[in-house]
C-alpha cells in the first residue's frame, strides 16, 4: 500500500497536487478541509461547529477532526492507499493516524512537504479568495492567523516524520507542473 501525506502551509498547493496524485497512484484522497466545507454547505451539526473555528483561522478541535477522519477511513475499497491532505495538523492527530493505520496493518509511506515562503502564501490565498467562496481566503487577518497556527502547531510534524525517516521536502516556488514532476519522482524513487 502507498499512504501519502501531503503537507505544508495553507496556500502551498496541497489541494492542487493532491488531485494529480490521487489519479496517478489511485489513492483515496482525504482532505479534512474539504470534508469540513462539505459539512458546512450541508449545515450538518459537524459543519456548524467546525465553522466557528474555520472562520477565525483556528484549528477545529482534535477530537472532532480525528473522529471525522477515522470514519472516512473506513471505506477504502479498491484504492492503492490513502492520500491525507490537511491532516494531521497536530501531534495528537499524527499519533491517532498512526493508530488508525496500525489497526489496518498499514503505515504512512511518505510525508511530502511543499515549502513556500509566507509572502507568496498570502498572495496566493488572497488571489484564490477572489474566485472562490472560501471566506477564510478573503481576509488577510484570517490568512495570517492560519499561517501562524501552521507555524506554531503544525510545522513541528516535519520533525515527527523525519524521526521516522519519512519526511521529504519540495520547493513549491515553481510551476504547478514542475512541482508535480518533483513529487512524482520522489514517490517513484521511493517505490523502487
Ligand atoms: P484547509 O482546506 O486544509 O486549508 O483547511 C481549512 C480549515 O479547516 C483550516 O483552517 C482549519 O480551520 C480546518 N481544518 C482542516 N483540517 C484540519 C485539521 N486536520 N485539524 C484541525 N482543523 C482543520
Amino acid at each position: 500500500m502507498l499512504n501519502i501525506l501531503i503537507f505544508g502551509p495553507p496556500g502551498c498547493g496541497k489541494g492542487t497536487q493532491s488531485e494529480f496524485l490521487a489519479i496517478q497512484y489511485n489513492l483515496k484522497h482525504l482532505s479534512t478541509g474539504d470534508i469540513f466545507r462539505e459539512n458546512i454547505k450541508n449545515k450538518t451539526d459537524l459543519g456548524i461547529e467546525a465553522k466557528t473555528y474555520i472562520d477565525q483561522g483556528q484549528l477545529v478541535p482534535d477530537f472532532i477532526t480525528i473522529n471525522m477522519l477515522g470514519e472516512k477511513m473506513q471505506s477504502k475499497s479498491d484504492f492503492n492507499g490513502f492520500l491525507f491532505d490537511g491532516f494531521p495538523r497536530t501531534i495528537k492527530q499524527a499519533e491517532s493516524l498512526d493508530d488508525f493505520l496500525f489497526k489496518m496493518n498499514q503505515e504512512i509511506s511518505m510525508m511530502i512537504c511543499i515549502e513556500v515562503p509566507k509572502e507568496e502564501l498570502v498572495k496566493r490565498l488572497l488571489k484564490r479568495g477572489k474566485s472562490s467562496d472560501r471566506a477564510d481566503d478573503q481576509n488577510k487577518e484570517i490568512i495570517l492567523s492560519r499561517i501562524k497556527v501552521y507555524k506554531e502547531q503544525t510545522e513541528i510534524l516535519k520533525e515527527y516524520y523525519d524521526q521516522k525517516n519519512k519526511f521529504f521536502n519540495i520547493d513549491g516556488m515553481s510551476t504547478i507542473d514542475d512541482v508535480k514532476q518533483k513529487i512524482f519522482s520522489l514517490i517513484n524513487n521511493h517505490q523502487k
Side-chain angles (χ1 to χ4, degrees):
M1 301 304 276
L2 179 68
N3 294 309
I4 301 283
L5 204 163
I6 189 108
F7 191 82
C12 72
K14 297 187 291 294
T16 304
Q17 295 299 334
S18 290
E19 289 178 22
F20 303 132
L21 280 171
I23 295 170
Q24 178 79 6
Y25 298 99
N26 185 30
L27 303 176
K28 181 173 171 68
H29 179 201
L30 290 175
S31 156
T32 39
D34 284 351
I35 303 169
F36 283 133
R37 281 185 287 279
E38 186 64 24
N39 276 275
I40 292 172
K41 205 171 89 193
N42 295 328
K43 299 197 166 60
T44 65
D45 289 346
L46 173 68
I48 291 164
E49 167 109 46
K51 189 173 187 312
T52 57
Y53 300 96
I54 294 174
D55 283 353
Q56 294 172 45
Q58 296 300 314
L59 293 185
V60 178
D62 278 342
F63 73 98
I64 299 179
T65 311
I66 290 167
N67 283 338
M68 177 181 88
L69 185 92
E71 274 176 31
K72 295 281 175 189
M73 283 176 69
Q74 303 300 322
S75 58
K76 191 158 66 70
S77 59
D78 58 350
F79 291 99
N80 290 335
F82 291 109
L83 171 60
F84 299 100
D85 163 11
F87 185 98
R89 269 169 146 106
T90 62
I91 296 279
K92 178 98 183 56
Q93 292 183 13
E95 289 170 349
S96 302
L97 182 57
D98 283 347
D99 288 347
F100 286 144
L101 288 169
F102 182 75
K103 286 183 187 134
M104 304 168 91
N105 268 325
Q106 290 188 50
E107 59 181 356
I108 288 293
S109 315
M110 311 172 74
M111 182 237 229
I112 300 172
C113 177
I114 309 174
E115 301 283 2
V116 172
K118 183 172 167 182
E119 307 70 52
E120 173 72 12
L121 296 171
V122 175
K123 230 168 66 185
R124 287 189 192 181
L125 290 168
L126 283 170
K127 187 167 170 224
R128 186 169 77 185
K130 285 192 182 138
S131 57
S132 85
D133 54 3
R134 281 188 63 166
D136 61 344
D137 282 344
Q138 289 165 9
N139 176 312
K140 191 166 176 192
E141 294 312 308
I142 297 175
I143 290 174
L144 290 174
S145 149
R146 287 160 63 202
I147 296 173
K148 187 161 177 268
V149 167
Y150 172 80
K151 290 269 168 220
E152 289 176 357
Q153 298 182 54
T154 305
E155 197 168 25
I156 189 161
L157 290 177
K158 291 196 225 170
E159 275 169 45
Y160 182 90
Y161 289 98
D162 196 25
Q163 279 163 9
K164 300 173 193 282
N165 291 323
K166 292 181 176 179
F167 168 68
F168 299 84
N169 227 5
I170 291 254
D171 178 5
M173 283 296 280
S174 44
T175 63
I176 290 176
D177 194 54
D178 198 26
V179 174
K180 177 174 90 176
Q181 293 310 331
K182 281 193 249 173
I183 296 178
F184 282 8
S185 336
L186 265 186
I187 297 177
N188 296 343
N189 283 335
H190 182 80
Q191 285 185 315
K192 271 182 198 158

